[in-house]
Amino acid sequence: EGFSSIDESMVTGESIPIDKIINDKVIGGTINKQGTFKFKATKVGSDTLLASIIKMVEDAQGSKAPIQKLADKISSIFVPVVLIISVATLLTWLTVGSQFMPFNQALSYGLLCFVGVLVIACPCALGLATPTAIIVGVGKGAQNGILIKNAESLEKLHKVNTVVVDKTGTITKGKPEVIDIILSNTDKTFTDTEVLKLIASIEKDSEHPLSIAIQEKAKTMGIILTKVEGFEIIEGKGLKGKIDGKQYYAGNLKLINDLKLNYDKELIDILSKQGKTPVLFTNIDKVLATIGIADTIKETSLGAIEKLHKLGIKVVMFTGDNKNTAKYIADQVGIDQVFAEILPNEKADKIKELQSRGLIVAMAGDGVNDAPALALADVGIAMGTGTDVAIESADITLLAGDISKIPQAINLSKKTMATIKQNLFWAFFYNIIGIPLAAGLLFPFFGILLNPAFAGLAMALSSV
């Protein structure tokens, strides 16, 4: 029974509420924004949509395989090879060396070289190469508002070639704003400011998010609202009120049709294709103005996507919103591919689909509805302004929800991995030079042997 507007952003991710009437379904955990109603619970506990989302997150997190560290692989080969070289060095001194010098001297030199090889080749530098770079990388990320949950995420991020972004709250600000005030061609009585003053005055007693968007616009323009008499909410359609004895209405197309007024169908069609929600403002005789309300694009979105493209990364957008809105937003910021009108479980399926094509996928989102996809992606990136569930599911959190930090995080990962590889190269290069010296390769030519004490010093210096 009853009527209300429900904020379903938890599930759909969309900021504009959905009007609900008798026989409509409502979802547990979504927020009643306006009005009162009675509903029948058809699913409870583990059967609810929220419980199923949580289970999907747990399943996705459990399916992740830990990445094998590059240094571990190298060390697993390097250590046995060094042991073989050191034993071979001792045996060579005992067999070949003893032919050119007394056996006890060959044994003495052989033992010195055996110890020298073990000491100089001690894989400290190899052991330090990866964790030291990761500690610095994670620290640098934190300084720049990029919180990295674990080293695996930082390692995997440099391989990413596809970034999936949620529309609402990631590309857009996540709250409706007044974009257009379009006066009717048939009425020249009012200016934009006068229309906004009238409609904001009528809307001031409503808690509907579209009403709040109009009130915010009037507030930013410093408009002083006027007294309204006979204010009334018309369920599912809009509201009405009298100003200076004249009757005014503000609402959707259902209200205009009830009033049997003509309106500009072409204008409504254009606004819809641009992803804007039209609010029509009328008197008893005609439409005076059309207000276009939409979730606006963040200032940083376009620059961030350009940077991702420069890094050779494809950008895909997921949204529960309609195709017109999704396409309009995508065209404005240069998105490569769009999946519109998709539900939370479908987001996770689409991530799997992209991964099945051999793509390394990072997903950026901020809502409960994004959590399964964040957990399933190769790297999950949560907006710091988002829900706790999204942040918990993600591998990386961007403070202040700034999308421009995504290319920054990828660059950080690439530089960290370059440092690791550079560290490993120098650790190897040092060993390639140091091991033959320690084994006594120069002795037959120059009579030079490397004292184990100097080998220890060289090993320590290589770590530094």
Side-chain angles (χ1 to χ4, degrees), residues 176-178 180-181 195-204 208-221 223 225 239 250-251 277-281 291-293:
E177 291 179 14
V178 172
D180 305 305
I181 301 171
V195 161
L196 188 59
K197 180 175 181 174
L198 290 169
I199 192 169
S201 298
I202 290 174
E203 300 273 8
K204 75 174 183 289
H208 195 284
L210 297 181
S211 301
I212 291 166
I214 292 167
Q215 292 166 42
E216 287 292 325
K217 181 71 173 177
K219 195 185 290 181
T220 57
M221 290 178 68
I223 292 170
L225 304 183
L239 34 83
T277 302
V279 174
L280 289 91
F281 178 62
I291 314 295
I293 299 175

Side-chain angles (χ1 to χ4, degrees), residues 16 39 168 189 221 234 274 309 337 340 344 351 356 362 398 431:
I16 293 175
F39 60 88
T168 308
T189 316
M221 290 178 68
I234 305 161
Q274 292 177 350
H309 283 150
Q337 189 177 1
I351 293 283
S356 69
L398 306 180
N431 280 312

Side-chain angles (χ1 to χ4, degrees), residues 244-420:
D244 297 332
K246 293 177 183 175
Q247 184 72 57
Y248 294 103
Y249 299 85
N252 56 24
L253 294 180
K254 290 178 191 170
L255 176 65
I256 306 307
N257 289 328
D258 285 356
L259 294 170
K260 296 183 170 55
L261 301 179
N262 293 322
Y263 61 91
D264 189 339
K265 291 183 176 67
E266 192 179 337
L267 173 63
I268 300 298
D269 191 44
I270 290 166
L271 290 174
S272 297
K273 281 181 178 170
Q274 292 177 350
K276 294 169 187 171
T277 302
V279 174
L280 289 91
F281 178 62
T282 83
N283 58 21
I284 199 76
D285 301 315
K286 58 189 172 184
V287 173
L288 303 175
T290 304
I291 314 295
I293 299 175
D295 186 6
T296 54
I297 292 166
K298 287 181 181 176
E299 294 81 0
T300 52
S301 294
L302 182 60
I305 289 162
E306 281 175 0
K307 284 176 186 172
L308 287 169
H309 283 150
K310 281 178 187 170
L311 289 168
I313 292 167
K314 180 183 175 184
V315 184
V316 178
M317 187 173 84
F318 284 0
T319 178
D321 211 342
N322 68 67
K323 287 175 183 174
N324 285 337
T325 305
K327 188 177 184 307
Y328 181 73
I329 297 285
D331 289 344
Q332 281 188 291
V333 293
I335 301 281
D336 299 303
Q337 189 177 1
V338 178
F339 293 101
E341 298 173 17
I342 57 175
L343 296 171
N345 58 330
E346 292 173 333
K347 286 185 180 183
D349 291 339
K350 295 292 181 193
I351 293 283
K352 282 182 191 170
E353 185 187 313
L354 292 168
Q355 288 171 328
S356 69
R357 292 188 217 158
L359 299 171
I360 311 294
V361 181
M363 162 83 187
D366 69 337
V368 173
N369 61 309
D370 299 319
L374 286 170
L376 198 66
D378 294 290
V379 181
I381 302 170
M383 299 290 132
T385 48
T387 62
D388 290 348
V389 177
I391 292 167
E392 187 60 35
S393 307
D395 303 301
I396 292 169
T397 302
L398 306 180
L399 296 182
D402 187 354
I403 190 176
S404 66
K405 293 193 184 295
I406 296 176
Q408 222 176 327
I410 292 169
N411 268 325
L412 178 69
S413 174
K414 285 181 185 290
K415 286 183 178 177
T416 304
M417 291 310 294
T419 304
I420 290 169

